[in-house]
Amino acid sequence: MDAPAVNITVNGQPVSVPEGTVLLEAVRAAGVELPTLCYHEGLAPYGACRLCMVAITEPHQALVASCAYPVEEGIVVETDAPEAVTARRLALEFLLGRCPQSNVIRDLAAREGVTGSRFGAPLPERADELCVLCGLCVRVCREAIGAAAISFVGRGVERRVGTPFDVHADACIGCGACAEICPTGAIEIEDRGNQRILRTWNTTVELHACPECGCFFAPEPTAFLKEMLPEAADVWGLCPECLRKRTARQWIEQMPVGPA
């Protein structure tokens, strides 16, 4: 059964969304784009970057991170309220001070009119820092992949993401989801021969060779996958190019021959 609709107002525009929708999605439904670095539809809300701050003006007043705030019937939201704009710009100043070399952060800051940071330059050993501590890599590894091979380490200015004891993570399956979801390109992954090297995590994973062309293209399938999908082994074991060729051959073989 469909979730009941919730009616709210965004910048004077009425919007109706399903119950349970986070406010950020309702704002997007109203045609308003807010910057965000830590939000992903497939993961639990986290509210780390604070770039999607908006002001609720009725029936109560609150400054909230829209990515982690469920919609409520009748609320009135202003995305350009002075306090919301100030909060977003302050968050961008902090990120710009942490990652001044990040093109993503500089572009986001420029769009919001932020050209400098009052928080100063990062420590010399972090001059090239690209990680904004959004937590997407940690959450996708834990919530979507189920590996939990990486996590947050330390507190305060020492907080970072890494593997246990900063050594090879046995739990890592080399899927690359962490690098794919990272908004700033902070995670380095390289395929070299039969190995996938995850430099950021000090981890190396063996790659699986395509049985038809011999190229190494993906991590070795887990025992769980082999057990759950034994009938599909000849499909997931092929590289994308060979899989396309096999699919094309099968399609041609199934075409009718001669006049209908």
Side-chain angles (χ1 to χ4, degrees), residues 140-141 144-145 147 172-180 189 196 198 205 207 218-219:
V140 75
C141 187
I145 306 303
C172 178
I173 63 173
C175 65
C178 55
E180 182 65 26
I189 292 183
R196 174 162 293 171
L198 299 93
V205 177
L207 294 179

Side-chain angles (χ1 to χ4, degrees), residues 104-210:
V104 172
I105 301 303
R106 288 204 299 264
D107 289 345
L108 286 175
R111 291 179 209 167
E112 292 287 324
V114 176
T115 57
S117 174
R118 74 189 76 178
F119 298 106
L123 298 174
E125 61 269 23
R126 294 188 177 180
D128 297 323
E129 182 67 80
L130 294 178
C131 176
V132 294
L133 299 177
C134 68
L136 281 175
C137 59
V138 174
R139 288 180 287 143
V140 75
C141 187
R142 181 180 62 244
E143 297 176 22
I145 306 303
I150 54 177
S151 62
F152 284 111
V153 180
R155 298 181 178 180
V157 296
E158 300 299 325
R159 191 168 173 81
R160 58 187 175 83
V161 178
T163 61
F165 306 105
D166 293 322
V167 297
H168 174 90
D170 292 332
C172 178
I173 63 173
C175 65
C178 55
E180 182 65 26
I181 205 170
C182 177
T184 59
I187 300 171
E188 298 181 34
I189 292 183
E190 178 189 2
D191 287 356
R192 182 185 298 172
N194 67 337
Q195 294 183 328
R196 174 162 293 171
I197 304 170
L198 299 93
R199 289 195 176 86
T200 310
W201 313 134
N202 302 312
T203 295
T204 300
V205 177
E206 296 295 320
L207 294 179
H208 169 75
C210 173

Side-chain angles (χ1 to χ4, degrees), residues 198-251:
L198 299 93
R199 289 195 176 86
T200 310
W201 313 134
N202 302 312
T203 295
T204 300
V205 177
E206 296 295 320
L207 294 179
H208 169 75
C210 173
E212 293 199 2
C213 70
C215 74
F216 295 97
F217 73 100
E220 285 286 348
T222 63
F224 174 78
L225 181 59
K226 292 179 179 178
E227 180 180 347
M228 292 298 294
L229 300 172
E231 70 283 355
D234 62 337
V235 175
W236 51 249
L238 298 176
C239 72
E241 183 63 27
C242 289
L243 183 59
R244 279 193 296 268
K245 291 179 180 179
R246 175 179 292 191
T247 302
R249 287 197 304 267
Q250 292 174 345
W251 181 77

Side-chain angles (χ1 to χ4, degrees), residues 22 38 49 63 77 79-80 95 109 113 144 167 171 180-181 203 218 224 235:
V22 294
C38 70
C49 70
L63 184 64
V77 178
T79 63
D80 291 330
L95 292 172
V167 297
E180 182 65 26
I181 205 170
T203 295
F224 174 78
V235 175

Side-chain angles (χ1 to χ4, degrees), residues 40-61:
H40 191 281
E41 296 84 348
L43 301 174
Y46 189 57
C49 70
R50 319 305 282 182
L51 296 186
C52 65
M53 301 296 288
V54 299
I56 297 175
T57 59
E58 295 181 22
H60 57 271
Q61 294 186 348

